[in-house]
């Protein structure tokens, strides 16, 4: 299998740098492989086929495959993930992120940053005690059973896949929190689940604490942040569910072919449809002391939104960015099925 050939080739390299380019030239010199379809089941995903799919994705990704050399120690994190034999929650979470990364539009330093921290992903439980004023699980369940939110996700998924979703499709998706050393990773899509970073959520709470926000104000901001993140990743999960392919990519969609839209990214489009823009809640929180944010408006909007069983999307008034006083995340999405801020990646070479 291709992944075994890659592992053997890497282990035969005694240099401090590894050349993916040489490996690709050796194995794909006469033919260009096609992307591998991966069924939306954990059993299928944890097969060797997924590892082969990741290698092929990296080959097809010109942001990755054209780079001459990589630090061997960084590539070893891919090897560690591939050689993991225990079918644990951590292994599933890391392999899911690696699959998405293999299709992402990153610089060399960006890839190195994400690969370097891949094995620090650690799935956690009992997150409810971290949030004494509300339940993330309860918010997630309300998000999935909300008429306006369902309308948003359904509309975006249909435009991309040409298929309708049902409420029961969202009901089958679970919520998983993780911790890691990533300082910019908010969350990403899994198979019938979404992964949410506890670190970024706690960071938002810390920013609000330092800004002097009250417990009531902190609560509504964090709820807003989690809800928009849930919507973002649920959209990605549903797109892959309807394509019946966890290795699907939004750019290969009906939407790009039929409409003149510069960004084809389901999570981004879902947020924009409901909130008019993608909101950067961390940067917005930093402006709390400057009285930029209209808390009363945010609370009114959020409370109305979460009463979603009583209203439809067409009846729902769109979010007013200017009135809310929040900041827009203007960075174009460059990560596949991953929600992240855009840090300045450190230099590794």
């Amino acid at each position: 299998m291709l992944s075994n050939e890659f592992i053997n080739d890497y282990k035969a390299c005694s240099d401090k740098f590894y050349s993916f380019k040489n490996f690709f030239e050796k194995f794909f010199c006469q033919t260009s492989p096609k992307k591998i379809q991966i069924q939306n089941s954990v059993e299928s995903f944890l097969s060797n086929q997924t590892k082969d799919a990741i290698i092929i994705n990296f080959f097809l990704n010109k942001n990755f495959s054209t780079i001459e050399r990589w630090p061997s120690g960084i590539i070893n994190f891919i090897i560690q993930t591939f050689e993991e034999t225990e079918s644990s929650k951590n292994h599933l979470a890391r392999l899911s992120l690696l699959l998405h990364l293999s299709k992402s539009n990153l610089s060399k330093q960006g890839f190195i940053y994400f690969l370097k921290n891949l094995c620090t992903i650690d799935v956690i439980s009992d997150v409810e005690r971290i949030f004494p004023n509300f339940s993330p699980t309860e918010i997630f369940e309300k998000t999935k059973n909300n008429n306006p939110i369902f309308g948003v996700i359904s509309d975006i998924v249909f435009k991309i896949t040409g298929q309708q979703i049902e409420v029961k499709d969202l009901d089958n998706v679970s919520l998983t929190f993780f911790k890691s050393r990533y300082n910019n990773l908010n969350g990403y899509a899994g198979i019938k689940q979404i992964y949410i970073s506890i670190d970024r959520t706690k960071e938002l709470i810390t920013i609000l604490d330092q800004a002097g926000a009250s417990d009531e104000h902190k609560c509504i901001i964090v709820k807003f942040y989690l809800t928009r993140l849930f919507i973002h990743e649920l959209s990605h999960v549903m797109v892959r569910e309807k394509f019946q392919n966890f290795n699907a990519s939004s750019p290969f969609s009906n939407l790009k072919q039929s409409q003149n839209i510069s960004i084809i990214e389901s999570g981004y489009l879902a947020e924009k449809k409901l909130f008019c823009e993608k909101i950067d809640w961390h940067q917005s929180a930093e402006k709390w002391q400057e009285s930029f944010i209209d808390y009363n408006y945010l609370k009114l909007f959020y409370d109305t939104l979460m009463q979603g069983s009583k209203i439809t999307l067409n009846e729902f008034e769109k979010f007013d960015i200017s009135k809310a006083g929040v900041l827009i995340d203007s960075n174009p999405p460059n990560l596949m099925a991953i929600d992240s801020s855009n840090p300045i990646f450190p230099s590794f070479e």
Side-chain angles (χ1 to χ4, degrees):
M1 299 193 69
L2 182 60
S3 56
N4 290 335
E5 296 289 352
F6 159 63
I7 291 172
N8 292 335
D9 188 71
Y10 170 81
K11 291 183 176 180
C13 175
S14 58
D15 198 283
K16 65 177 181 178
F17 293 100
Y18 177 76
S19 175
F20 254 110
K21 192 173 182 180
N22 288 344
F23 175 78
F24 291 148
E25 289 175 352
K26 184 188 306 181
F27 285 91
F28 303 132
C29 61
Q30 296 181 337
T31 182
S32 180
K34 295 182 179 180
K35 284 182 64 178
I36 294 176
Q37 181 168 328
I38 301 173
Q39 294 181 4
N40 278 292
S41 72
V42 173
E43 293 76 15
S44 296
F45 184 68
L46 291 177
S47 67
N48 287 328
Q49 182 188 46
T50 296
K51 301 171 188 177
D52 288 355
I54 290 170
I55 298 298
I56 292 174
N57 288 347
F58 276 134
F59 170 74
L60 296 174
N61 186 343
K62 298 307 179 185
N63 292 286
F64 187 93
S65 61
T66 55
I67 295 173
E68 290 286 345
R69 62 180 195 168
W70 298 86
S72 293
I74 295 299
I75 302 305
N76 190 51
F77 292 113
I78 300 178
I79 301 295
Q80 288 181 31
T81 304
F82 278 5
E83 291 189 325
E84 174 66 51
T85 56
E86 182 182 356
S87 299
S88 65
K89 292 181 179 179
N90 286 341
H91 180 52
L92 179 61
R94 294 166 186 172
L95 198 62
S96 298
L97 182 62
L98 183 57
L99 179 73
H100 298 323
L101 287 174
S102 67
K103 299 177 291 179
S104 294
N105 180 23
L106 288 170
S107 65
K108 180 179 181 179
Q109 300 306 331
F111 277 118
I112 289 176
Y113 170 78
F114 274 97
L115 293 175
K116 180 181 180 181
N117 293 291
L118 179 64
C119 293
T120 69
I121 291 177
D122 185 14
V123 171
I124 60 175
S125 57
D126 193 25
V127 298
E128 301 296 319
R129 60 182 176 78
I130 300 175
F131 306 100
N133 297 319
F134 63 88
S135 165
T137 303
E138 182 178 337
I139 295 173
F140 182 62
E141 292 303 319
K142 286 183 177 180
T143 300
K144 293 191 297 179
N145 294 279
N146 181 290
N147 284 339
I149 292 174
F150 176 80
V152 165
I153 296 174
S154 178
D155 181 66
I156 297 303
V157 172
F158 180 76
K159 286 180 178 179
I160 291 178
T161 69
Q163 299 183 57
Q164 299 281 0
I165 66 169
E166 300 178 12
V167 174
K168 66 179 182 180
D169 293 326
L170 293 180
D171 285 340
N172 292 331
V173 183
S174 61
L175 172 63
T176 301
F177 276 91
F178 69 92
K179 60 182 179 179
S180 71
R181 292 181 187 170
Y182 291 114
N183 61 15
N184 64 320
L185 177 59
N186 297 316
Y188 57 98
I191 295 178
K192 293 184 172 59
Q193 65 181 312
I194 64 172
Y195 292 100
I196 303 298
S197 168
I198 194 68
D199 305 294
R200 285 287 284 168
T201 311
K202 290 166 69 175
E203 180 186 349
L204 178 58
I205 295 173
T206 298
I207 292 172
L208 289 165
D209 280 336
Q210 294 173 345
S214 67
D215 287 344
E216 185 180 16
H217 291 180
K218 282 189 296 184
C219 186
I220 199 67
I221 294 294
V222 176
K223 283 182 177 180
F224 234 123
Y225 164 73
L226 287 174
T227 301
R228 81 98 196 147
L229 190 52
F230 293 161
I231 294 169
H232 186 107
E233 297 306 339
L234 281 170
S235 300
H236 284 301
V237 172
M238 286 296 100
V239 165
R240 284 151 182 79
E241 186 71 23
K242 289 306 170 182
F243 274 137
Q244 296 184 0
N245 179 14
F246 191 58
N247 197 26
S249 302
S250 293
F252 304 102
S253 67
N254 297 331
L255 181 61
K256 186 175 183 180
Q257 298 168 5
S258 62
Q259 298 187 31
N260 183 23
I261 297 178
S262 58
I263 296 176
I264 310 300
E265 206 269 357
S266 58
Y268 174 90
L269 293 175
E271 289 190 61
K272 193 173 178 66
K273 187 173 180 65
L274 186 60
F275 302 122
C276 295
E277 297 287 349
K278 182 176 181 181
I279 301 169
D280 189 325
W281 285 104
H282 287 74
Q283 286 195 23
S284 297
E286 291 176 355
K287 301 295 183 181
W288 189 270
Q289 287 182 321
E290 300 175 27
S291 301
F292 280 25
I293 295 180
D294 186 335
Y295 167 75
N296 291 328
Y297 173 74
L298 288 181
K299 187 176 188 307
L300 176 62
F301 182 93
Y302 187 80
D303 288 346
T304 304
L305 172 64
M306 298 315 283
Q307 293 174 357
S309 60
K310 302 177 182 179
I311 53 177
T312 66
L313 179 60
N314 291 333
E315 296 171 328
F316 194 71
E317 184 176 340
K318 284 192 174 182
F319 190 74
D320 189 327
I321 293 286
S322 298
K323 189 172 183 178
V326 293
L327 300 179
I328 298 170
D329 184 349
S330 58
N331 295 303
N334 57 10
L335 291 155
M336 189 67 64
I338 301 170
D339 187 81
S340 172
S341 62
N342 285 321
I344 298 175
F345 296 117
S347 178
F348 293 92
E349 287 189 84

